[in-house]
Amino acid sequence: MKIVLLGTSSAVPTLTRGLSSTALIREGDVFLFDCGEGTQLQLMRSSVKRSRIHSIFIGHLHGDHLYGIAGLLSTLHLDGREAPLNVFGPEGLRVFLNAAFRTSDFKFTFKLTVQEFPRGYRGRVLDENEFYVDELPLDHSIFCLGWRFQEKDKPGVFNLERAEELEIPRGPLYGKLQHGEAITLANGRSITPDMVLGPPRHGKSVVYCLDTQFTERSIQLADKCTALVHETTFGPDAVDMARERKHSTMEDAARVAHEAHAENLIATHFSSRYDGRQIAQICDQARGVFERITLGRDLLEIDI
Ligand SMILES: [Zn+2]
Ligand SMILES: [Zn+2]
């Protein structure tokens, strides 16, 4: 999988940082997390193909995460898109989109499904053959959802040599073992899948927590994830401001990554009060709490 940071600024764009949007690419499909103003331009500057957008996840309805979606959907319509598109987000998202598109008397070329989650909802929002997406409410100044994109585990690699040694006839019995079923051979010997399969291949996971102050729920959502994309709006000089506005400092995010045993933390959503040099300094300090921080910047691509 690959993560592409499309915008890494909080609240307002700067000349070098666009508003929040992050693309996750898996086997060519694009999953877009948030869609701040300017996202469609950033998509054009990146390697991400907008025609391959599978779903869009909007975590909360603050403008810096939302105002780009109407323009992007309009462009997908003008592209002549035919594939259906799912948009997931908190209650209120449909009202926003309806207002935008009714005002413009807009009719889509493709089927747009908007799925809203009320405050009490926690759990699975999408479940496909090879992956699923879960959500959990975070702790921000308005209702905000965090997302976990999780690849499902795959069975271990089939050991052909071992199967031949065990005299398992080629054919459907191989398939049964690969699907976790025990079999009995004509000679009466029973074979269990672990006798011919390597260890299961664990699926990778990406967790997206924007915007939120430090909360146990981020730790729960990010449990042992491959990559945690977490907001890091402020540095140690603005802890009070972070608490007041229900945002995180870089150190808060590092603590979440540490306590969740995440493999990597990707820092994004920086206040415009800091320039790149200051953000790098803030990041160096936070590495005392959690070492493996990738400092985000616009259009950075991260293989995971
Ligand atoms: Zn924000
Ligand atoms: Zn916000």
Side-chain angles (χ1 to χ4, degrees):
M1 292 197 284
K2 184 156 79 171
I3 293 170
V4 182
L5 298 177
L6 296 164
T8 60
S9 192
S10 75
V12 293
T14 72
L15 285 173
T16 52
R17 298 199 289 264
L19 293 173
S20 279
S21 187
T22 299
L24 171 65
I25 306 171
R26 182 182 182 278
E27 299 195 355
D29 286 329
V30 176
F31 303 85
L32 202 63
F33 292 87
D34 288 337
C35 193
E37 178 202 337
T39 295
Q40 58 171 329
L41 283 169
Q42 293 293 75
L43 282 168
M44 288 159 73
R45 295 183 181 112
S46 75
S47 64
V48 184
K49 292 190 177 76
R50 69 176 180 237
S51 60
R52 296 299 306 270
I53 296 176
H54 176 291
S55 310
I56 301 176
F57 300 85
I58 301 292
H60 70 303
L61 302 181
H62 275 157
D64 58 325
H65 298 249
L66 174 69
Y67 290 166
I69 192 169
L72 175 62
L73 293 178
S74 161
T75 299
L76 294 180
H77 162 81
L78 295 171
D79 286 342
R81 179 183 172 113
E82 288 176 359
L85 180 70
N86 294 308
V87 180
F88 301 91
E91 249 174 352
L93 179 59
R94 198 176 284 123
V95 170
F96 174 83
L97 290 173
N98 282 345
F101 294 118
R102 279 193 190 141
T103 309
S104 313
D105 192 23
F106 198 86
K107 308 265 182 320
F108 284 101
T109 54
F110 57 92
K111 183 171 163 35
L112 178 72
T113 307
V114 181
Q115 212 172 319
E116 287 186 341
F117 302 100
R119 279 179 184 268
Y121 185 83
R122 293 162 184 218
R124 195 131 308 173
V125 302
L126 185 63
D127 193 357
E128 301 220 347
N129 281 340
E130 296 185 350
F131 64 85
Y132 58 82
V133 180
D134 284 346
E135 65 89 355
L136 203 57
L138 302 175
D139 190 0
H140 190 41
S141 54
I142 61 170
F143 179 46
C144 181
L145 303 167
W147 311 99
R148 182 181 180 111
F149 185 102
Q150 176 72 54
E151 286 184 322
K152 293 180 182 175
D153 290 346
K154 287 184 188 157
V157 177
F158 191 82
N159 187 335
L160 204 58
E161 257 175 45
R162 183 84 187 110
E164 280 168 1
E165 277 168 22
L166 292 165
E167 296 174 353
I168 306 168
R170 282 176 183 256
L173 291 180
Y174 278 22
K176 283 192 175 175
L177 287 163
Q178 272 171 317
H179 286 100
E181 265 179 68
I183 58 164
T184 306
L185 299 180
N187 62 14
R189 185 170 183 195
S190 76
I191 308 282
T192 52
D194 60 297
M195 294 165 78
V196 290
L197 296 180
R201 289 167 287 173
H202 290 296
K204 292 180 175 174
S205 47
V206 174
V207 172
Y208 187 83
C209 294
L210 272 74
D211 294 343
T212 184
Q213 64 178 342
F214 179 87
T215 161
E216 289 294 326
R217 288 197 291 273
S218 302
I219 299 169
Q220 199 183 328
L221 194 65
D223 185 47
K224 298 184 188 70
C225 66
T226 316
L228 167 62
V229 183
H230 198 291
E231 70 128 297
T232 55
T233 310
F234 294 110
D237 60 302
V239 173
D240 291 346
M241 208 182 289
R243 303 288 175 263
E244 190 187 309
R245 298 181 187 179
K246 295 204 168 191
H247 277 296
S248 296
T249 63
M250 184 91 71
E251 202 172 309
D252 290 331
R255 212 176 122 205
V256 172
H258 173 74
E259 292 190 21
H261 304 283
E263 287 177 32
N264 299 287
L265 169 63
I266 297 166
T268 184
H269 197 274
F270 308 116
S271 166
S272 57
R273 64 198 269 126
Y274 305 119
D275 63 23
R277 193 181 50 83
Q278 289 167 315
I279 292 169
Q281 278 171 355
I282 292 167
C283 184
D284 282 344
Q285 283 173 288
R287 284 199 175 103
V289 177
F290 184 81
E291 178 70 36
R292 298 176 301 281
I293 305 177
T294 300
L295 192 56
R297 64 181 150 75
D298 282 28
L299 306 180
L300 179 66
E301 302 199 354
I302 305 145
D303 287 311
I304 63 157

